[in-house]
Amino acid sequence: MADNSKRDSRQKPLAETVVGILSAVLVFAFVIFLAHQAITGDRSPPDLEAIPETALRQEGKTLLRVKIVNRGERAAADVTVRAEMPKGPGREIRFDYVAAGSSQSGAFLFDSPDVAAEDIRLSIYGFVEP
Amino acid sequence: MNSLPVDPHNQRALRDMGRAAAGALLFSLPMLMTMELWYIALYIERWKLLLFLFSSFPLLILLSRMIGFEKTTGWSEAIKDSMVAVGISFSTCFVILFLLGVLSSDLNLDNLTAAVAVQLVPASIGALLARSQLGVEKAEDNERPESYSRELFLMAVGALFLAFNVAPTEETLLISYKITYLHTLAILAVSLLIMHGFVFSLGFAGGRELTDELTTPRAFLFFTLPGYVISALLSLYLLWIFGSLDGLAPGAISKAVVVQALPASIGAAAARLIL
């Protein structure tokens, strides 16, 4: 019993020390990462590109998946993307947000079953800063 | 006419279950009335929802063992009670979501179940905390031996609960998009200060007095920093579960985690005071 209490009193500070030091290292590393980003990032405006991905046939329609990539260092909001077809009306979709250095996916739905991804011209109309 | 004798054991069990339902309602109502959580149920990947539920069960069992809506004497009883809490929470959430018109015949069974399941964890935490926070035995029950692991665990419960309130909302991500990295660093520093102040400096009931053994640097190293790490990791986990991090770069993820960890860390500190 006495041995157990001695062992407990030795183990408890060790556990606290290990957890405390590990936590300090993690928080410190996180702070260094954020500080590095603060010095090097957050400068360039959103740099957006719309990339067509796959075209899926769905009950006489075509679902064209697109990805919006933001290579800038700031986020973009209300990103409006338009898809123009050689024939027929175009389509527009809006992405709420595309974070800096990140991507978001979405899809256009066309009434025709034979729309090919390479026939579609995608253009980004604009964005607002969140 | 003689009235039927009431078995005191059954009466107590009914009262405990009533308290558990009240706790589930009290803790989950803000989330039951949050639009984003209704929609998350429609699109959350089912394997992530299952993972979230199964990863929460050990936490609920531990919480039942430590606090629970009725006194438990062993692990099997704690497991049984935590399952009862989940069942009561499921019924409570189902009834409230039905009354609010969220659950309707327009939803298929999969989405109906998901809409309730996504609310289960905070509601079950509420059900299990019912005795300690709503019961009359509070004072005597709080006389529990303090241990380091218990304190870390309670911080995790508080962080998970408050983080869950905020994680599904669009505002978390919107704030992370609006702020710069300097803001992010400042939020991190403020989170640490608030956590430390809550427990060690502001003299709240349940707080800790600094002593010659527990100096400010030691308290910061052994309690505040681990508490923040727990809060940040749980924030990361919840944001990932809800799909908020899909497609985000590491920098954007770090901002979202720091924003989310602000309420989580306050929840962690408050849990140490309250529980």
Side-chain angles (χ1 to χ4, degrees):
Chain A
M1 192 72 184
D3 282 351
N4 277 347
S5 62
K6 267 186 191 171
R7 197 171 60 222
D8 285 349
S9 65
R10 278 200 308 272
Q11 282 176 346
K12 192 180 165 190
L14 179 68
E16 291 185 17
T17 307
V18 169
V19 171
I21 290 174
L22 192 65
S23 302
V25 169
L26 285 172
V27 173
F28 185 69
F30 194 36
V31 168
I32 294 292
F33 171 75
L34 291 174
H36 176 261
Q37 295 288 104
I39 294 165
T40 60
D42 272 347
R43 294 205 174 108
S44 67
D47 176 9
L48 299 161
E49 185 189 0
I51 303 167
E53 294 192 308
T54 52
L56 298 169
R57 308 284 171 254
Q58 275 190 344
E59 296 171 4
K61 296 183 177 183
T62 303
L63 185 85
L64 176 69
R65 289 185 60 82
V66 293
K67 185 159 86 172
I68 307 300
V69 180
N70 180 2
R71 296 192 180 85
E73 290 169 344
R74 288 189 184 165
D78 288 340
V79 180
T80 309
V81 186
R82 188 167 171 82
E84 304 277 7
M85 290 199 297
K87 293 174 188 171
R91 294 280 190 278
E92 239 178 54
I93 55 173
R94 193 176 63 87
F95 291 80
D96 286 346
Y97 304 104
V98 187
S102 306
S103 62
Q104 285 284 308
S105 294
F108 288 99
L109 193 59
F110 297 99
D111 293 333
S112 166
D114 52 0
V115 175
E118 55 272 19
D119 294 338
I120 303 294
R121 198 169 65 84
L122 296 174
S123 48
I124 295 170
Y125 271 32
F127 61 85
V128 295
E129 290 191 4
Chain B
M1 195 172 79
N2 290 336
S3 58
L4 287 172
V6 181
D7 181 351
H9 183 75
N10 286 344
Q11 201 175 19
R12 187 183 167 85
L14 272 175
R15 191 197 61 185
D16 284 342
M17 283 199 269
R19 272 190 199 161
L25 186 61
L26 187 65
F27 278 69
S28 65
L29 198 58
M31 284 159 273
L32 289 166
M33 298 179 81
T34 298
M35 187 171 69
E36 284 92 338
L37 267 167
W38 310 338
Y39 296 140
I40 277 173
L42 304 180
Y43 65 76
I44 186 172
E45 292 168 78
R46 295 306 184 242
W47 70 270
K48 277 189 180 178
L49 183 55
L50 267 179
L51 175 71
F52 179 56
L53 290 175
F54 280 115
S55 63
S56 302
F57 283 144
L59 178 138
L60 296 176
I61 293 166
L62 267 172
L63 192 61
S64 174
R65 185 77 183 94
M66 286 183 184
I67 295 167
F69 65 84
E70 65 169 17
K71 286 179 182 171
T72 55
T73 52
W75 284 104
S76 61
E77 210 177 328
I79 292 169
K80 185 199 80 183
D81 273 9
S82 57
M83 293 304 112
V84 171
V86 170
I88 290 171
S89 302
F90 191 93
S91 313
T92 308
C93 293
F94 186 92
V95 169
I96 298 297
L97 287 175
F98 178 75
L99 290 176
L100 296 176
V102 178
L103 301 183
S104 70
S105 55
D106 296 337
L107 294 175
N108 62 19
L109 187 63
D110 174 44
N111 289 326
L112 275 173
T113 316
V116 182
V118 82
Q119 307 269 2
L120 262 188
V121 175
S124 300
I125 291 174
L128 287 168
L129 293 180
R131 184 169 62 93
S132 71
Q133 300 311 304
L134 305 177
V136 288
E137 305 98 326
K138 186 178 176 181
E140 72 185 59
D141 288 350
N142 279 350
E143 288 166 13
R144 295 161 196 277
E146 293 227 340
S147 73
Y148 188 57
S149 55
R150 183 176 193 272
E151 292 208 39
L152 294 184
F153 172 72
L154 292 180
M155 282 200 278
V157 172
L160 180 69
F161 178 73
L162 221 61
F164 198 95
N165 271 274
V166 182
T169 62
E170 195 181 328
E171 284 80 356
T172 302
L173 284 183
L174 176 57
I175 291 166
S176 75
Y177 295 153
K178 288 175 82 73
I179 59 175
T180 65
Y181 284 104
L182 285 176
H183 286 108
T184 313
L185 278 166
I187 292 172
L188 192 154
V190 167
S191 303
L192 286 169
L193 276 176
I194 292 174
M195 273 192 91
H196 195 79
F198 257 53
V199 180
F200 296 104
S201 304
L202 298 179
F204 283 127
R208 271 213 177 180
E209 291 294 322
L210 292 171
T211 59
D212 289 344
E213 252 184 50
L214 189 66
T215 56
T216 297
R218 285 179 70 88
F220 191 77
L221 180 65
F222 297 139
F223 292 98
T224 306
L225 284 176
Y228 188 79
V229 169
I230 288 170
S231 305
L233 289 176
L234 281 170
S235 299
L236 178 69
Y237 178 60
L238 281 180
L239 289 170
W240 174 73
I241 287 283
F242 291 140
S244 303
L245 304 180
D246 294 353
L248 293 194
I253 291 174
S254 65
K255 281 182 177 177
V257 167
V258 171
V259 170
Q260 176 66 50
L262 174 63
S265 57
I266 293 172
R272 287 192 61 199
L273 301 178
I274 298 165
L275 303 178

